[in-house]
Amino acid sequence: MQFNLYHWLFDDPYTAGSNAGLSGPETFHFVWPWLIFCCAGLLLAFYYAVEGRKRFVKGKPLVKYMLDRYLGWFAVICFVGLPLLFSRVFLDGYFFAWRAWRYLWLVSLLVWAIMWVVYMLRKYPQERASYEAYQQRQQYMPKSSKSNKRKAKAASR
């Protein structure tokens, strides 16, 4: 018997189950790990958006920028994963129950992880050094007197 990648990726679970000699749809064994991963990812992104930005990265603009950017995409990936899981479990005779969607979702998660690692290894150290140099230069710059002018203008009224 020859392996047919097209049918393996694009057959719905009922067709795949009948081709494998099963009486019903092919079982999906990773429902709970996938559900836990997607819900935890959404909860992490939500917590960061509501509380984490204020609590953990208040004085660290580079970390805030990185987490805003990458946790936002992670939340999108986890959000897309939930309907794919729902369609695999409950709509198993339809278009979105195909394996191709789950593997495309997994590829998007891997691309996200690789982009994040590349950023952490290549760009973040350069941006951190640039920001530290900027802060060092700002120590020797005179402070702006805009606030003093505003106070004087408010006092004169």
Side-chain angles (χ1 to χ4, degrees):
M1 186 168 148
Q2 182 177 331
F3 179 71
N4 189 343
L5 182 64
Y6 177 78
H7 286 293
W8 188 75
L9 285 175
F10 297 108
D11 279 348
D12 61 285
Y14 275 107
T15 307
S18 66
N19 289 344
L22 300 174
S23 61
E26 178 185 46
T27 57
F28 181 55
H29 301 285
F30 302 108
V31 172
W32 287 106
W34 191 339
L35 184 65
I36 290 169
F37 178 80
C38 288
C39 289
L42 285 174
L43 187 64
L44 174 73
F46 177 74
Y47 177 75
Y48 172 74
V50 171
E51 184 67 28
R53 290 186 83 213
K54 293 181 242 173
R55 181 177 290 186
F56 298 120
V57 293
K58 188 174 184 177
K60 302 172 186 168
L62 288 177
V63 176
K64 184 187 281 188
Y65 166 75
M66 177 193 60
L67 289 176
D68 285 348
R69 184 174 169 191
Y70 289 103
L71 278 181
W73 277 108
F74 184 63
V76 168
I77 290 170
C78 289
F79 184 74
V80 168
L82 291 175
L84 289 177
L85 178 65
F86 172 80
S87 64
R88 173 56 184 96
V89 173
F90 296 109
L91 303 174
D92 48 4
Y94 295 96
F95 178 69
F96 285 109
W98 294 350
R99 280 189 184 108
W101 296 111
R102 293 190 306 272
Y103 284 100
L104 187 63
W105 179 84
L106 184 63
V107 166
S108 70
L109 185 65
L110 289 175
V111 166
W112 173 83
I114 289 169
M115 286 177 54
W116 186 66
V117 167
V118 166
Y119 177 81
M120 290 299 291
L121 294 178
R122 288 191 181 170
K123 289 186 179 182
Y124 182 73
Q126 294 170 354
E127 289 178 2
R128 186 180 65 217
S130 174
Y131 183 71
E132 288 172 356
Y134 172 76
Q135 283 184 323
Q136 187 71 21
R137 284 191 309 267
Q138 289 300 95
Q139 287 180 356
Y140 302 108
M141 299 299 264
K143 300 295 182 207
S144 175
S145 61
K146 287 182 182 180
S147 62
N148 293 337
K149 288 179 184 177
R150 288 182 190 162
K151 288 178 185 175
K153 194 181 272 188
S156 65
R157 288 185 185 178

